[in-house]
Amino acid sequence: MIVDVDETTGETRTWHYGLIARWWSEFNQAEPEELAYYGAAIRRFGEPALDLGCGTGRILLPLAAEGLDVDGVDVSGDMIDRARTAATGRGLTPGLFIQAGHDLDLARRYRTIYLCGVFGIGGRRDRDRETLHRAFGHLEPGGALIIWHEFPYADQGTDQWALWLAGRRDGLPRDWRETGDRRRAADGDEIELITRLESFDPFEQRQDLELRARLWRAGEVVREEVGRLSENLYFGQEILLLLEEAGFAEISVEVAYTGQPATPDDGTVVFIARKAKAGGA
């Protein structure tokens, strides 16, 4: 068992390293509706654009291949390395940087910045708050920040929502399942992922997840890694307040990738927050 620990701080890092980075590079592809939405958003709000939490480039690289000017940032050097390799293979040269959102410090300013499914995984709420401030500072006047977000109640078909109730968390941490999602990579290796919920705190609105990654060759496990991810859980009004506090003025909430206003029945949404134009126009 290998737990990924930052050698400088001693903190357990997010799980987006090693075999997990390889999994994302091999198997996670952007959906057509995602590419259509972000491509249209960049054309609407303008270039250059920044994919904040770009991972291995599943959204960034197809958009760059369309000729859009998109840079990428991710906390995981492993993810960025794989994104860079994939970009080179496609003849693309986007700017790719290893930085956490709360440490974002780039020389360039952007017309569009988007976060797809990464808001809340900074480990601490103060880091999430700082990420929004850094994004605001990296936008040009009139630019837009786009956040794809899933509310804690989005998946009501599971027992997850019951964990918010007293007396319903005695079974944590959950046991590891014997088998998980196992897929064959391009070179014939197989990678298997197994996830479990380690802890859940409704007061802190945070859950800790563990993920076990196994590398299989010739029917045997030759490598195993275990990573941990702390995820802060946010409801809609919290994010609106955080965006206002960061300086954003014009904020709207849409049903994910539809352009339609969100309703109380929608669990997956997109926040669009604008930075005021120069002179307040």
Side-chain angles (χ1 to χ4, degrees), residues 166-279:
R168 302 298 290 270
R169 299 180 294 277
D170 294 341
L172 299 180
R174 290 177 176 163
D175 294 333
W176 288 106
R177 289 179 288 114
E178 291 295 324
T179 60
D181 188 359
R182 184 169 162 182
R183 304 186 191 183
R184 185 176 298 276
D187 63 357
D189 284 349
E190 292 179 286
I191 305 174
E192 180 184 22
L193 300 186
I194 308 174
T195 308
R196 74 166 181 172
L197 181 64
E198 181 186 37
S199 65
F200 188 94
D201 188 328
F203 181 77
E204 296 289 342
Q205 292 181 207
R206 184 179 62 242
Q207 63 183 7
D208 294 320
L209 304 166
E210 285 188 310
L211 191 147
R212 177 175 288 167
R214 293 170 174 163
L215 178 63
W216 292 78
R217 286 181 185 152
E220 295 185 356
V221 176
V222 297
R223 181 179 175 188
E224 183 172 290
E225 300 172 358
V226 176
R228 185 169 180 268
L229 179 71
S230 292
E231 181 180 8
N232 297 314
L233 307 175
Y234 288 95
F235 294 89
Q237 295 304 309
E238 293 177 276
I239 295 179
L240 289 173
L241 289 171
L242 286 170
L243 288 169
E244 291 175 2
E245 194 267 343
F248 292 97
E250 180 185 336
I251 306 171
S252 60
V253 189
E254 302 176 350
V255 183
Y257 303 145
T258 68
Q260 300 300 311
T263 74
D265 293 327
D266 297 309
T268 306
V269 301
V270 172
F271 291 84
I272 301 175
R274 302 294 299 275
K275 184 173 183 176
K277 295 180 180 179

Side-chain angles (χ1 to χ4, degrees), residues 3 6 15 33 36 48 60 70 72 97 99-100 126-127 132 142 181 196 211 213 230 240 249 255 263 266 269 278:
V3 178
D6 189 300
W15 61 35
E33 64 177 2
L60 184 157
V70 188
F97 309 93
Q99 291 184 8
D126 62 322
R127 290 177 175 174
L132 297 182
D181 188 359
R196 74 166 181 172
L211 191 147
S230 292
L240 289 173
V255 183
T263 74
D266 297 309
V269 301

Side-chain angles (χ1 to χ4, degrees), residues 26-68:
E26 292 264 5
F27 307 124
N28 281 23
Q29 305 298 320
E31 297 294 333
E33 64 177 2
E34 292 179 291
L35 297 178
Y37 184 87
Y38 291 112
I42 293 169
R43 293 181 178 94
R44 173 187 174 189
F45 299 118
E47 303 171 65
L50 177 66
D51 187 331
L52 184 48
C54 67
T56 57
R58 72 180 189 91
I59 294 175
L60 184 157
L61 295 180
L63 294 180
E66 293 179 19
L68 295 173

Side-chain angles (χ1 to χ4, degrees), residues 108-121:
R108 205 177 193 194
R109 293 299 177 264
Y110 299 90
R111 296 289 305 173
T112 307
I113 298 177
Y114 62 89
L115 296 88
C116 182
V118 299
F119 185 71
I121 64 172

